[in-house]
Amino acid sequence: MRPNIYLYIFVMAFTTWCMRVIPSLVMKRPIKNQFAQSFLYYVPYVTLAVMTFPAIVQATDQPLAGVAALIIGILAAWFGASLINVAVACCVTVFVLELLMGML
């Protein structure tokens, strides 16, 4: 039996709609709790990090090269490098490490 793709799309659309509508129906007043505000402020960043980290490590042939590029990227960003410089530094790191590991 073939799965009904339209049913899957409807369920995903309904779930997304519920996640956007229900909080606006439930929360009538602004959130005044500092802990809740700070928690909700960082949720998108944590979600993005959780989705991105495995992709960084698994995108290369050698996971060690991905981890090294992640560390180099974090350090470059920490010290104020622009987005293009961080991306170039990460790409060069992966390229050089995979080249060196391929020779071994």
Side-chain angles (χ1 to χ4, degrees):
M1 186 167 131
R2 199 171 117 181
N4 188 353
I5 190 73
Y6 296 112
L7 177 64
Y8 291 156
I9 292 172
F10 173 75
V11 169
M12 290 180 353
F14 181 73
T15 304
T16 302
W17 180 79
C18 285
M19 292 177 66
R20 293 177 184 269
V21 170
I22 290 174
S24 64
L25 294 175
V26 173
M27 301 298 296
K28 298 291 183 189
R29 296 175 287 142
I31 299 172
K32 297 192 190 233
N33 185 338
Q34 288 288 67
F35 177 77
Q37 280 182 340
S38 64
F39 176 79
L40 293 173
Y41 178 79
Y42 288 109
V43 166
Y45 300 110
V46 171
T47 305
L48 182 62
V50 167
M51 292 181 346
T52 305
F53 180 74
I56 291 171
V57 174
Q58 296 173 356
T60 61
D61 289 336
Q62 301 290 331
L64 185 61
V67 171
L70 175 65
I71 293 169
I72 294 296
I74 290 171
L75 289 174
W78 184 269
F79 289 111
S82 67
L83 182 60
I84 189 74
N85 290 340
V86 171
V88 168
C90 292
C91 290
V92 168
T93 301
V94 168
F95 180 75
V96 169
L97 285 178
E98 292 224 353
L99 191 66
L100 292 175
M101 289 179 186
M103 291 177 158
L104 298 177

Short mmCIF file of all heavy atoms in Angstrom, two decimals, residues 1-55:
data_model
loop_
_atom_site.label_atom_id
_atom_site.label_comp_id
_atom_site.label_asym_id
_atom_site.label_seq_id
_atom_site.Cartn_x
_atom_site.Cartn_y
_atom_site.Cartn_z
N MET A 1 0.84 -1.18 0.00
CA MET A 1 0.00 0.00 0.00
C MET A 1 0.88 1.25 0.00
O MET A 1 1.84 1.34 0.75
CB MET A 1 -0.89 -0.03 1.24
CG MET A 1 -1.89 1.08 1.25
SD MET A 1 -3.11 0.75 2.52
CE MET A 1 -3.11 2.29 3.32
N ARG A 2 0.58 2.16 -0.86
CA ARG A 2 1.36 3.38 -1.01
C ARG A 2 0.88 4.45 -0.02
O ARG A 2 -0.32 4.68 0.09
CB ARG A 2 1.19 3.89 -2.43
CG ARG A 2 2.26 4.83 -2.85
CD ARG A 2 2.13 5.09 -4.30
NE ARG A 2 1.84 6.52 -4.44
CZ ARG A 2 1.65 7.13 -5.55
NH1 ARG A 2 1.63 6.45 -6.66
NH2 ARG A 2 1.44 8.41 -5.60
N PRO A 3 1.82 5.11 0.70
CA PRO A 3 1.38 6.15 1.64
C PRO A 3 0.81 7.35 0.89
O PRO A 3 1.23 7.69 -0.20
CB PRO A 3 2.65 6.53 2.39
CG PRO A 3 3.76 6.07 1.54
CD PRO A 3 3.26 4.93 0.70
N ASN A 4 -0.15 7.98 1.51
CA ASN A 4 -0.80 9.13 0.92
C ASN A 4 0.01 10.39 1.26
O ASN A 4 0.00 10.85 2.39
CB ASN A 4 -2.24 9.25 1.44
CG ASN A 4 -3.01 10.31 0.71
OD1 ASN A 4 -2.48 11.07 -0.09
ND2 ASN A 4 -4.30 10.37 1.00
N ILE A 5 0.70 10.93 0.29
CA ILE A 5 1.57 12.08 0.51
C ILE A 5 0.78 13.31 0.93
O ILE A 5 1.24 14.13 1.71
CB ILE A 5 2.43 12.36 -0.74
CG1 ILE A 5 3.52 13.41 -0.45
CG2 ILE A 5 1.58 12.83 -1.89
CD1 ILE A 5 4.63 12.91 0.37
N TYR A 6 -0.44 13.43 0.43
CA TYR A 6 -1.27 14.58 0.79
C TYR A 6 -1.67 14.55 2.26
O TYR A 6 -1.78 15.60 2.89
CB TYR A 6 -2.50 14.66 -0.11
CG TYR A 6 -2.13 14.89 -1.56
CD1 TYR A 6 -2.33 13.89 -2.50
CD2 TYR A 6 -1.56 16.08 -1.96
CE1 TYR A 6 -1.98 14.09 -3.83
CE2 TYR A 6 -1.20 16.30 -3.28
CZ TYR A 6 -1.41 15.30 -4.21
OH TYR A 6 -1.05 15.51 -5.51
N LEU A 7 -1.85 13.36 2.80
CA LEU A 7 -2.14 13.25 4.23
C LEU A 7 -0.95 13.72 5.05
O LEU A 7 -1.11 14.45 6.03
CB LEU A 7 -2.50 11.80 4.58
CG LEU A 7 -2.77 11.54 6.06
CD1 LEU A 7 -4.00 12.33 6.52
CD2 LEU A 7 -2.94 10.06 6.30
N TYR A 8 0.26 13.33 4.64
CA TYR A 8 1.47 13.76 5.36
C TYR A 8 1.61 15.28 5.30
O TYR A 8 1.93 15.92 6.29
CB TYR A 8 2.71 13.11 4.77
CG TYR A 8 2.82 11.63 5.02
CD1 TYR A 8 3.56 10.82 4.18
CD2 TYR A 8 2.17 11.03 6.10
CE1 TYR A 8 3.68 9.47 4.40
CE2 TYR A 8 2.28 9.67 6.33
CZ TYR A 8 3.03 8.90 5.48
OH TYR A 8 3.14 7.55 5.70
N ILE A 9 1.38 15.85 4.14
CA ILE A 9 1.50 17.30 3.99
C ILE A 9 0.46 18.01 4.85
O ILE A 9 0.77 19.01 5.52
CB ILE A 9 1.37 17.70 2.51
CG1 ILE A 9 2.59 17.20 1.72
CG2 ILE A 9 1.22 19.22 2.37
CD1 ILE A 9 2.48 17.38 0.24
N PHE A 10 -0.77 17.48 4.87
CA PHE A 10 -1.82 18.09 5.69
C PHE A 10 -1.46 18.02 7.18
O PHE A 10 -1.62 18.99 7.91
CB PHE A 10 -3.16 17.40 5.45
CG PHE A 10 -4.23 17.87 6.39
CD1 PHE A 10 -4.83 19.11 6.21
CD2 PHE A 10 -4.62 17.09 7.47
CE1 PHE A 10 -5.80 19.57 7.10
CE2 PHE A 10 -5.59 17.53 8.35
CZ PHE A 10 -6.17 18.78 8.17
N VAL A 11 -0.97 16.87 7.63
CA VAL A 11 -0.60 16.72 9.05
C VAL A 11 0.53 17.68 9.41
O VAL A 11 0.50 18.33 10.46
CB VAL A 11 -0.23 15.26 9.36
CG1 VAL A 11 0.40 15.13 10.75
CG2 VAL A 11 -1.45 14.37 9.25
N MET A 12 1.52 17.80 8.55
CA MET A 12 2.63 18.73 8.83
C MET A 12 2.14 20.17 8.84
O MET A 12 2.55 20.97 9.70
CB MET A 12 3.75 18.53 7.80
CG MET A 12 4.46 17.23 7.99
SD MET A 12 5.82 16.84 6.87
CE MET A 12 5.84 18.08 5.66
N ALA A 13 1.29 20.54 7.89
CA ALA A 13 0.77 21.91 7.85
C ALA A 13 -0.09 22.20 9.08
O ALA A 13 0.02 23.28 9.67
CB ALA A 13 -0.05 22.12 6.57
N PHE A 14 -0.92 21.23 9.48
CA PHE A 14 -1.77 21.42 10.65
C PHE A 14 -0.92 21.55 11.92
O PHE A 14 -1.19 22.39 12.78
CB PHE A 14 -2.75 20.25 10.78
CG PHE A 14 -3.67 20.39 11.95
CD1 PHE A 14 -4.70 21.32 11.93
CD2 PHE A 14 -3.50 19.59 13.07
CE1 PHE A 14 -5.55 21.46 13.03
CE2 PHE A 14 -4.35 19.72 14.16
CZ PHE A 14 -5.38 20.66 14.14
N THR A 15 0.11 20.74 12.04
CA THR A 15 1.01 20.82 13.19
C THR A 15 1.70 22.17 13.25
O THR A 15 1.77 22.80 14.31
CB THR A 15 2.05 19.69 13.13
OG1 THR A 15 1.37 18.45 13.04
CG2 THR A 15 2.94 19.71 14.35
N THR A 16 2.20 22.64 12.13
CA THR A 16 2.85 23.95 12.09
C THR A 16 1.86 25.05 12.44
O THR A 16 2.19 25.98 13.20
CB THR A 16 3.44 24.20 10.68
OG1 THR A 16 4.34 23.14 10.38
CG2 THR A 16 4.16 25.53 10.61
N TRP A 17 0.66 24.96 11.91
CA TRP A 17 -0.36 25.97 12.21
C TRP A 17 -0.68 25.98 13.70
O TRP A 17 -0.79 27.04 14.31
CB TRP A 17 -1.61 25.67 11.38
CG TRP A 17 -2.72 26.63 11.61
CD1 TRP A 17 -2.86 27.89 11.09
CD2 TRP A 17 -3.87 26.43 12.45
NE1 TRP A 17 -4.01 28.47 11.54
CE2 TRP A 17 -4.65 27.59 12.38
CE3 TRP A 17 -4.30 25.38 13.24
CZ2 TRP A 17 -5.84 27.73 13.08
CZ3 TRP A 17 -5.48 25.51 13.93
CH2 TRP A 17 -6.24 26.68 13.84
N CYS A 18 -0.83 24.79 14.29
CA CYS A 18 -1.14 24.70 15.73
C CYS A 18 -0.02 25.31 16.57
O CYS A 18 -0.29 26.00 17.56
CB CYS A 18 -1.36 23.25 16.14
SG CYS A 18 -2.95 22.59 15.62
N MET A 19 1.22 25.06 16.18
CA MET A 19 2.34 25.60 16.94
C MET A 19 2.40 27.13 16.88
O MET A 19 2.94 27.76 17.77
CB MET A 19 3.65 24.99 16.44
CG MET A 19 3.76 23.52 16.75
SD MET A 19 5.24 22.78 16.10
CE MET A 19 6.48 23.62 17.04
N ARG A 20 1.85 27.70 15.86
CA ARG A 20 1.84 29.15 15.74
C ARG A 20 0.59 29.78 16.36
O ARG A 20 0.65 30.89 16.86
CB ARG A 20 1.96 29.56 14.28
CG ARG A 20 3.30 29.20 13.70
CD ARG A 20 3.37 29.55 12.24
NE ARG A 20 4.60 29.13 11.67
CZ ARG A 20 5.69 29.87 11.61
NH1 ARG A 20 5.68 31.08 12.10
NH2 ARG A 20 6.79 29.41 11.06
N VAL A 21 -0.54 29.10 16.30
CA VAL A 21 -1.80 29.68 16.76
C VAL A 21 -2.02 29.46 18.26
O VAL A 21 -2.46 30.38 18.96
CB VAL A 21 -2.97 29.12 15.94
CG1 VAL A 21 -4.30 29.50 16.54
CG2 VAL A 21 -2.87 29.63 14.50
N ILE A 22 -1.76 28.27 18.75
CA ILE A 22 -2.06 27.95 20.15
C ILE A 22 -1.36 28.90 21.13
O ILE A 22 -2.01 29.39 22.06
CB ILE A 22 -1.77 26.47 20.45
CG1 ILE A 22 -2.81 25.61 19.73
CG2 ILE A 22 -1.78 26.19 21.95
CD1 ILE A 22 -2.56 24.13 19.82
N PRO A 23 -0.07 29.20 20.99
CA PRO A 23 0.54 30.13 21.94
C PRO A 23 -0.12 31.51 21.94
O PRO A 23 -0.27 32.14 22.99
CB PRO A 23 2.00 30.24 21.50
CG PRO A 23 2.25 28.98 20.79
CD PRO A 23 0.95 28.62 20.12
N SER A 24 -0.55 31.98 20.78
CA SER A 24 -1.19 33.29 20.74
C SER A 24 -2.58 33.26 21.37
O SER A 24 -3.06 34.27 21.87
CB SER A 24 -1.28 33.81 19.31
OG SER A 24 -2.11 32.98 18.54
N LEU A 25 -3.23 32.10 21.37
CA LEU A 25 -4.52 31.97 22.03
C LEU A 25 -4.39 31.80 23.54
O LEU A 25 -5.22 32.27 24.30
CB LEU A 25 -5.30 30.78 21.45
CG LEU A 25 -5.73 30.89 19.99
CD1 LEU A 25 -6.38 29.59 19.54
CD2 LEU A 25 -6.67 32.06 19.79
N VAL A 26 -3.33 31.13 23.96
CA VAL A 26 -3.15 30.85 25.38
C VAL A 26 -2.56 32.05 26.12
O VAL A 26 -2.99 32.37 27.23
CB VAL A 26 -2.24 29.61 25.56
CG1 VAL A 26 -1.89 29.38 27.01
CG2 VAL A 26 -2.92 28.38 24.99
N MET A 27 -1.59 32.71 25.52
CA MET A 27 -0.90 33.82 26.19
C MET A 27 -1.62 35.13 25.87
O MET A 27 -1.47 35.67 24.79
CB MET A 27 0.56 33.89 25.73
CG MET A 27 1.35 32.63 26.00
SD MET A 27 1.48 32.23 27.73
CE MET A 27 2.41 33.58 28.34
N LYS A 28 -2.36 35.63 26.84
CA LYS A 28 -3.07 36.89 26.64
C LYS A 28 -2.25 38.10 27.10
O LYS A 28 -2.41 39.19 26.61
CB LYS A 28 -4.40 36.87 27.40
CG LYS A 28 -5.35 35.78 26.93
CD LYS A 28 -5.86 36.06 25.55
CE LYS A 28 -6.85 34.99 25.14
NZ LYS A 28 -7.25 35.05 23.79
N ARG A 29 -1.40 37.86 28.10
CA ARG A 29 -0.59 38.96 28.64
C ARG A 29 0.87 38.76 28.28
O ARG A 29 1.31 37.64 28.03
CB ARG A 29 -0.73 38.97 30.17
CG ARG A 29 -2.14 39.27 30.64
CD ARG A 29 -2.25 39.15 32.14
NE ARG A 29 -2.20 37.71 32.48
CZ ARG A 29 -1.57 37.21 33.54
NH1 ARG A 29 -0.95 38.00 34.37
NH2 ARG A 29 -1.58 35.92 33.78
N PRO A 30 1.65 39.83 28.28
CA PRO A 30 3.09 39.69 28.04
C PRO A 30 3.75 38.89 29.17
O PRO A 30 3.32 38.95 30.32
CB PRO A 30 3.61 41.12 28.03
CG PRO A 30 2.42 42.00 27.93
CD PRO A 30 1.25 41.23 28.40
N ILE A 31 4.82 38.19 28.83
CA ILE A 31 5.56 37.41 29.82
C ILE A 31 6.45 38.35 30.62
O ILE A 31 7.26 39.08 30.05
CB ILE A 31 6.41 36.33 29.13
CG1 ILE A 31 5.50 35.38 28.37
CG2 ILE A 31 7.26 35.57 30.14
CD1 ILE A 31 6.23 34.39 27.49
N LYS A 32 6.28 38.34 31.94
CA LYS A 32 7.06 39.24 32.81
C LYS A 32 8.16 38.51 33.55
O LYS A 32 9.04 39.15 34.11
CB LYS A 32 6.12 39.93 33.78
CG LYS A 32 5.13 40.81 33.08
CD LYS A 32 4.39 41.70 34.01
CE LYS A 32 3.28 42.34 33.21
NZ LYS A 32 3.16 43.69 33.21
N ASN A 33 8.10 37.20 33.58
CA ASN A 33 9.12 36.42 34.27
C ASN A 33 10.44 36.51 33.49
O ASN A 33 10.50 36.13 32.32
CB ASN A 33 8.65 34.97 34.39
CG ASN A 33 9.59 34.11 35.20
OD1 ASN A 33 10.76 34.40 35.35
ND2 ASN A 33 9.05 33.02 35.72
N GLN A 34 11.51 36.97 34.16
CA GLN A 34 12.81 37.15 33.49
C GLN A 34 13.38 35.82 33.01
O GLN A 34 13.96 35.75 31.94
CB GLN A 34 13.81 37.82 34.44
CG GLN A 34 13.50 39.27 34.68
CD GLN A 34 13.82 40.11 33.47
OE1 GLN A 34 13.18 39.99 32.42
NE2 GLN A 34 14.82 40.96 33.61
N PHE A 35 13.22 34.76 33.83
CA PHE A 35 13.75 33.46 33.44
C PHE A 35 13.05 32.96 32.17
O PHE A 35 13.70 32.49 31.24
CB PHE A 35 13.59 32.44 34.57
CG PHE A 35 14.05 31.07 34.19
CD1 PHE A 35 15.39 30.77 34.14
CD2 PHE A 35 13.14 30.08 33.86
CE1 PHE A 35 15.83 29.51 33.77
CE2 PHE A 35 13.55 28.82 33.50
CZ PHE A 35 14.91 28.53 33.46
N ALA A 36 11.75 33.07 32.13
CA ALA A 36 11.00 32.62 30.96
C ALA A 36 11.35 33.44 29.73
O ALA A 36 11.49 32.91 28.63
CB ALA A 36 9.50 32.69 31.23
N GLN A 37 11.52 34.75 29.90
CA GLN A 37 11.90 35.60 28.78
C GLN A 37 13.27 35.22 28.23
O GLN A 37 13.46 35.10 27.02
CB GLN A 37 11.92 37.06 29.20
CG GLN A 37 10.57 37.70 29.24
CD GLN A 37 10.67 39.18 29.60
OE1 GLN A 37 11.66 39.63 30.18
NE2 GLN A 37 9.63 39.92 29.27
N SER A 38 14.24 35.03 29.13
CA SER A 38 15.58 34.68 28.66
C SER A 38 15.60 33.28 28.04
O SER A 38 16.29 33.04 27.05
CB SER A 38 16.60 34.77 29.79
OG SER A 38 16.30 33.83 30.80
N PHE A 39 14.81 32.36 28.61
CA PHE A 39 14.72 31.01 28.05
C PHE A 39 14.16 31.07 26.63
O PHE A 39 14.71 30.48 25.70
CB PHE A 39 13.84 30.12 28.94
CG PHE A 39 13.61 28.75 28.38
CD1 PHE A 39 14.58 27.78 28.50
CD2 PHE A 39 12.43 28.44 27.73
CE1 PHE A 39 14.37 26.51 27.98
CE2 PHE A 39 12.21 27.18 27.22
CZ PHE A 39 13.19 26.21 27.34
N LEU A 40 13.07 31.77 26.44
CA LEU A 40 12.44 31.87 25.12
C LEU A 40 13.30 32.64 24.13
O LEU A 40 13.23 32.40 22.93
CB LEU A 40 11.05 32.50 25.25
CG LEU A 40 10.03 31.65 25.99
CD1 LEU A 40 8.75 32.44 26.20
CD2 LEU A 40 9.75 30.36 25.25
N TYR A 41 14.12 33.55 24.63
CA TYR A 41 15.00 34.32 23.74
C TYR A 41 16.04 33.41 23.08
O TYR A 41 16.36 33.57 21.91
CB TYR A 41 15.70 35.42 24.54
CG TYR A 41 16.67 36.23 23.73
CD1 TYR A 41 16.22 37.23 22.88
CD2 TYR A 41 18.03 35.98 23.80
CE1 TYR A 41 17.10 37.97 22.12
CE2 TYR A 41 18.93 36.72 23.04
CZ TYR A 41 18.46 37.72 22.21
OH TYR A 41 19.34 38.44 21.46
N TYR A 42 16.56 32.44 23.84
CA TYR A 42 17.63 31.58 23.32
C TYR A 42 17.15 30.32 22.62
O TYR A 42 17.96 29.60 22.03
CB TYR A 42 18.60 31.20 24.45
CG TYR A 42 19.43 32.38 24.89
CD1 TYR A 42 19.23 32.98 26.11
CD2 TYR A 42 20.42 32.88 24.06
CE1 TYR A 42 19.99 34.06 26.51
CE2 TYR A 42 21.19 33.96 24.44
CZ TYR A 42 20.96 34.55 25.67
OH TYR A 42 21.72 35.62 26.04
N VAL A 43 15.88 30.01 22.65
CA VAL A 43 15.36 28.79 22.02
C VAL A 43 15.70 28.71 20.53
O VAL A 43 16.17 27.67 20.06
CB VAL A 43 13.85 28.63 22.28
CG1 VAL A 43 13.22 27.57 21.38
CG2 VAL A 43 13.61 28.27 23.73
N PRO A 44 15.51 29.77 19.73
CA PRO A 44 15.85 29.64 18.30
C PRO A 44 17.33 29.37 18.06
O PRO A 44 17.68 28.58 17.18
CB PRO A 44 15.45 31.00 17.70
CG PRO A 44 14.49 31.58 18.66
CD PRO A 44 14.87 31.05 20.01
N TYR A 45 18.20 29.97 18.86
CA TYR A 45 19.64 29.76 18.68
C TYR A 45 20.04 28.34 19.04
O TYR A 45 20.84 27.71 18.33
CB TYR A 45 20.44 30.76 19.53
CG TYR A 45 20.14 32.19 19.17
CD1 TYR A 45 19.44 33.01 20.05
CD2 TYR A 45 20.53 32.71 17.94
CE1 TYR A 45 19.15 34.31 19.72
CE2 TYR A 45 20.25 34.02 17.61
CZ TYR A 45 19.56 34.83 18.50
OH TYR A 45 19.27 36.11 18.18
N VAL A 46 19.49 27.82 20.10
CA VAL A 46 19.79 26.45 20.51
C VAL A 46 19.25 25.46 19.48
O VAL A 46 19.93 24.49 19.13
CB VAL A 46 19.21 26.17 21.92
CG1 VAL A 46 19.31 24.71 22.27
CG2 VAL A 46 19.91 27.03 22.95
N THR A 47 18.07 25.71 18.98
CA THR A 47 17.49 24.82 17.97
C THR A 47 18.34 24.80 16.71
O THR A 47 18.62 23.73 16.14
CB THR A 47 16.05 25.27 17.63
OG1 THR A 47 15.29 25.33 18.84
CG2 THR A 47 15.40 24.33 16.65
N LEU A 48 18.79 25.96 16.28
CA LEU A 48 19.66 26.03 15.11
C LEU A 48 20.98 25.31 15.35
O LEU A 48 21.46 24.58 14.48
CB LEU A 48 19.91 27.49 14.74
CG LEU A 48 20.75 27.74 13.50
CD1 LEU A 48 20.05 27.16 12.27
CD2 LEU A 48 21.00 29.22 13.32
N ALA A 49 21.55 25.48 16.53
CA ALA A 49 22.80 24.79 16.85
C ALA A 49 22.63 23.28 16.87
O ALA A 49 23.47 22.54 16.36
CB ALA A 49 23.32 25.29 18.19
N VAL A 50 21.54 22.81 17.44
CA VAL A 50 21.29 21.37 17.52
C VAL A 50 21.09 20.77 16.14
O VAL A 50 21.51 19.65 15.87
CB VAL A 50 20.07 21.09 18.43
CG1 VAL A 50 19.56 19.68 18.29
CG2 VAL A 50 20.42 21.40 19.87
N MET A 51 20.49 21.51 15.24
CA MET A 51 20.29 21.00 13.88
C MET A 51 21.56 21.11 13.04
O MET A 51 21.79 20.30 12.15
CB MET A 51 19.16 21.78 13.19
CG MET A 51 17.82 21.51 13.79
SD MET A 51 16.40 22.33 13.04
CE MET A 51 17.02 23.58 12.01
N THR A 52 22.41 22.10 13.32
CA THR A 52 23.58 22.35 12.50
C THR A 52 24.78 21.50 12.89
O THR A 52 25.53 21.05 12.02
CB THR A 52 23.96 23.84 12.57
OG1 THR A 52 22.83 24.62 12.21
CG2 THR A 52 25.10 24.17 11.65
N PHE A 53 24.97 21.27 14.17
CA PHE A 53 26.18 20.57 14.62
C PHE A 53 26.37 19.19 13.98
O PHE A 53 27.46 18.91 13.47
CB PHE A 53 26.20 20.45 16.15
CG PHE A 53 27.41 19.74 16.66
CD1 PHE A 53 28.65 20.36 16.66
CD2 PHE A 53 27.32 18.43 17.10
CE1 PHE A 53 29.77 19.70 17.10
CE2 PHE A 53 28.43 17.77 17.55
CZ PHE A 53 29.67 18.39 17.55
N PRO A 54 25.36 18.31 13.96
CA PRO A 54 25.58 17.02 13.30
C PRO A 54 25.91 17.16 11.81
O PRO A 54 26.71 16.40 11.28
CB PRO A 54 24.26 16.28 13.49
CG PRO A 54 23.61 16.93 14.65
CD PRO A 54 24.04 18.36 14.60
N ALA A 55 25.33 18.13 11.16
CA ALA A 55 25.61 18.34 9.74
C ALA A 55 27.06 18.77 9.53
O ALA A 55 27.70 18.37 8.55
CB ALA A 55 24.66 19.37 9.16
#
